Amino acid sequence: MPYVFNEGSLELPSPPEDRSVNVLIVPNPEEHGEPLTLVITRDEMEPGETLEECVKRQLVIISRQLRGFAELKREETLIGTEQIPGILIEAHNSNAGSKIYQWLAIFPVSDRKIFVYALSSVRPFRDAQRQMWKDILASYTPAQQA
């Protein structure tokens, strides 16, 4: 079975469970702004779990991994060209004495599979980054299934 990624492909004996993580350094839309980090992770909802329950579980995991994690705001949204219902979270955490600002978007991509997008900055987000985040989320187009 071929497993395809940006740089090439591998032949695997059976279909893998894709738990890959993409880490992208994104140019800051503000002049002289420090680059932003966009992390895309994949996970699965537990059997019978709702998206809201999955988000709560994900935040417990995140709060264990990130010192000083604090959720500031949560809201429902529609993501991508298919208008997929998702949840947006504004948060921050501490890293080596510095505050890291984050926006999270969590949404399903199939019955149980979810994406978690996390945009991070060492400075508070401003209007230009907010617009860029909205544009990124609006641009998500699901892959065509073979």
Side-chain angles (χ1 to χ4, degrees):
M1 151 151 214
Y3 175 73
V4 180
F5 50 97
N6 283 348
E7 296 80 8
S9 65
L10 301 170
E11 194 64 37
L12 301 174
S14 62
E17 181 179 326
D18 188 354
R19 293 291 181 104
S20 58
V21 176
N22 300 96
V23 180
L24 308 170
I25 304 302
V26 182
N28 194 318
E30 290 193 338
E31 189 175 348
H32 308 298
E34 296 172 357
L36 307 173
T37 304
L38 175 62
V39 178
I40 302 169
T41 58
R42 294 151 179 86
D43 204 350
E44 286 194 7
M45 292 192 283
E46 300 292 333
E49 188 176 49
T50 66
L51 182 60
E52 184 62 40
E53 291 167 338
C54 179
V55 168
K56 286 179 186 175
R57 182 173 54 80
Q58 290 288 327
L59 291 179
V60 167
I61 294 167
I62 291 169
S63 66
R64 287 183 186 146
Q65 295 172 342
L66 300 176
R67 180 182 300 145
F69 179 82
E71 180 181 338
L72 305 174
K73 182 179 176 183
R74 182 187 303 202
E75 63 185 83
E76 294 180 358
T77 191
L78 297 173
I79 296 172
T81 58
E82 304 282 323
Q83 296 290 283
I84 301 166
I87 297 175
L88 296 178
I89 296 170
E90 186 174 339
H92 63 72
N93 64 283
S94 299
N95 184 9
S98 297
K99 197 172 272 191
I100 305 295
Y101 300 88
Q102 281 192 316
W103 283 330
L104 305 168
I106 303 170
F107 60 99
V109 292
S110 69
D111 289 340
R112 291 188 47 210
K113 294 180 188 275
I114 63 165
F115 273 161
V116 180
Y117 289 2
L119 185 69
S120 302
S121 174
V122 295
R123 303 209 188 289
F125 291 110
R126 297 169 52 123
D127 290 341
Q129 291 97 357
R130 186 172 308 278
Q131 186 59 54
M132 183 186 79
W133 178 238
K134 288 179 181 179
D135 293 344
I136 288 170
L137 296 178
S139 74
Y140 172 71
T141 302
Q144 299 298 317
Q145 301 299 320

